[in-house]
Amino acid sequence: MIQLVLDDTRIKQHLFPFTLTRSAADIRVGILTIREKWQILLGQKVTVNGDAYLQPAQEAEQPVVFSANIVPSKTFVESLLNGNFSQEQFVQQTTVRILQYPWHIFKYNDWAIREDYALITSGRQSQSLPSSVTVMNPAGIFIEPGAKLQHCILNASAGPIYIGKDAEVMEGSFIRGPFALCEGATVKMGAKIYGATSIGPNCVVGGEIKNSVFFENSNKAHDGYLGDSVIGAFCNLGAGTSNSNIKNTASEVKVWSEASRDYINAGLKCGLLMGDYSRSSVNTSFNTGTVVGVSANVFGSGLTPKYIPSFSWGIDGKEKYTLEKALQDISNWKKLKNQLLEEKEIQTLQHIFDRL
């Protein structure tokens, strides 16, 4: 048995805006968060602190410290537990993924869903698929207790499909794997969802979605396109909201980096990267590779700027939320999910606001 500590002190800025309000260890990629993956694989709780990228233990009592942006696999952890591990081997590892930038969350989501699906479903029996559901490759579909599905199409021929506890897929939905619908989440009628997409706990989604990750308690409940994107917690995309994920010139997409304080290349495709508690009005059109900070109220005509700071009111950068109004609006949205704004969240938001 080892004692594991996850450190995110060195990489927090690189995963902006998602690490403004959480540790990198609590980023969801695949079905689970990074912390949850480690805990299942090790069979024990892990802590987050420290200041080292990788520090193998010299003695059994000493902790092993990993950077919190390392996404583990079963193969890697088995090697670690068996002692077949060294710093040199880690550098050469192909059995982990490292989130160096926020767009890596959707870039590695296909791999992560497959890893988590195998981990979660191993040795377990799926609930039966209702007769009204049309399926392709039923062996690649796992349904948790309490999930509801009727008159939808599930195609797991290109990757697994996981439907979590008490989740719902409404009638007329089309879903292609790899796909994960986490506990209590809902896919609304007529949705078209392509892999590799993860819908976090208690989210509500509809319209067209491709290769995107929702963290938890967020909504894209209406028509509109979302592709190659990451949506934080307690976000809401108004009806008709869509994003661009590729430039008309098919050239490299440049995305704002808080660590570099500049725009850097993110590859040929990158859509919307939206921090926690942010929202868009109806028919918002997000530019290619747009980064939205925490608690922004996004509205305005035309394509958005490629960077919208935290606590923005509108898209022109001329007006900012007052903290009191922002907290009240966040509290209102949390109540819609039967949750309350906690003191710890208020302190975090106060800290972000004061640093603007």
Side-chain angles (χ1 to χ4, degrees):
M1 187 62 65
I2 65 170
Q3 179 187 350
L4 180 69
V5 176
L6 299 178
D7 160 55
D8 67 358
T9 56
R10 298 187 180 186
I11 45 84
K12 262 186 170 292
Q13 279 195 316
H14 294 275
L15 294 172
F16 175 94
F18 305 109
T19 45
L20 282 172
T21 47
R22 64 175 55 75
S23 164
D26 295 316
I27 286 176
R28 187 174 307 279
V29 54
I31 303 173
L32 306 165
T33 67
I34 294 173
R35 188 200 300 256
E36 289 170 343
K37 298 175 202 291
W38 279 110
Q39 290 181 159
I40 292 174
L41 289 165
L42 291 173
Q44 66 186 63
K45 289 187 176 182
V46 300
T47 56
V48 179
N49 59 27
D51 187 16
Y53 187 80
L54 174 64
Q55 180 185 323
Q58 302 301 312
E59 300 176 11
E61 294 76 16
Q62 293 180 333
V64 177
V65 182
F66 281 96
S67 185
N69 62 332
I70 297 172
V71 186
S73 68
K74 182 179 179 181
T75 301
F76 176 75
V77 173
E78 286 177 346
S79 177
L80 176 64
L81 292 175
N82 290 333
N84 303 321
F85 170 79
S86 68
Q87 178 108 10
E88 293 72 23
Q89 288 174 327
F90 173 78
V91 172
Q92 301 170 6
Q93 273 290 335
T94 59
T95 58
V96 298
R97 298 294 185 272
I98 301 175
L99 304 182
Q100 296 174 309
Y101 303 104
W103 52 88
H104 284 166
I105 298 170
F106 67 76
K107 180 178 179 180
Y108 299 143
N109 202 46
D110 185 305
W111 174 86
I113 289 175
R114 295 174 194 271
E115 288 285 331
D116 289 350
Y117 183 91
L119 179 64
I120 291 173
T121 65
S122 177
R124 300 177 60 218
Q125 182 69 42
S126 170
Q127 300 296 299
S128 299
L129 282 159
S131 59
S132 69
V133 177
T134 300
V135 300
M136 282 156 272
N137 187 29
I141 299 172
F142 193 93
I143 313 296
E144 294 282 6
K148 296 183 289 186
L149 305 89
Q150 291 292 341
H151 299 284
C152 55
I153 296 177
L154 305 181
N155 182 356
S157 58
I161 292 176
Y162 174 83
I163 309 297
K165 180 183 177 183
D166 298 327
E168 181 175 10
V169 181
M170 292 184 178
E171 56 270 25
S173 298
F174 301 86
I175 297 174
R176 292 176 62 94
F179 174 74
L181 186 67
C182 295
E183 182 174 348
T186 299
V187 175
K188 294 186 72 177
M189 291 191 299
K192 297 174 290 185
I193 304 182
Y194 301 82
T197 293
S198 296
I199 310 300
N202 302 313
C203 290
V204 178
V205 298
E208 184 178 3
I209 303 173
K210 185 217 105 181
N211 193 32
S212 296
V213 178
F214 286 74
F215 284 3
E216 66 270 354
N217 297 296
S218 289
N219 303 324
K220 180 204 172 298
H222 306 288
D223 286 342
Y225 175 73
L226 187 77
D228 301 289
S229 297
V230 183
I231 306 298
F234 293 101
C235 296
N236 189 75
L237 303 182
T241 293
S242 291
N243 76 276
S244 168
N245 64 337
I246 187 169
K247 296 178 69 173
N248 287 345
T249 58
S251 55
E252 289 271 347
V253 179
K254 290 192 174 182
V255 175
W256 174 256
S257 167
E258 187 71 9
S260 302
R261 302 297 298 174
D262 199 359
Y263 290 88
I264 62 176
N265 288 337
L268 293 178
K269 287 190 176 183
C270 185
L272 171 63
L273 304 170
M274 177 177 274
D276 292 359
Y277 313 112
S278 288
R279 301 169 295 279
S280 69
S281 66
V282 296
N283 296 323
T284 300
S285 297
F286 283 103
N287 214 329
T288 318
T290 295
V291 175
V292 179
V294 166
S295 188
N297 189 12
V298 182
F299 60 89
S301 59
L303 284 172
T304 64
K306 287 176 66 67
Y307 174 51
I308 301 175
S310 297
F311 294 96
S312 291
W313 182 269
I315 63 174
D316 58 12
K318 296 180 181 178
E319 192 171 354
K320 187 172 74 170
Y321 249 128
T322 65
L323 181 61
E324 182 180 3
K325 173 64 173 170
L327 294 176
Q328 181 59 60
D329 290 351
I330 290 169
S331 178
N332 292 341
W333 280 102
K334 291 202 71 173
K335 286 177 183 177
L336 293 177
K337 298 288 185 178
N338 298 313
Q339 298 187 41
L340 298 176
L341 182 61
E342 299 178 358
E343 182 60 33
K344 183 179 179 180
E345 294 175 283
I346 294 173
Q347 292 175 3
T348 298
L349 290 162
Q350 175 82 61
H351 178 71
I352 296 168
F353 186 87
D354 290 344
R355 294 184 64 187
L356 292 175

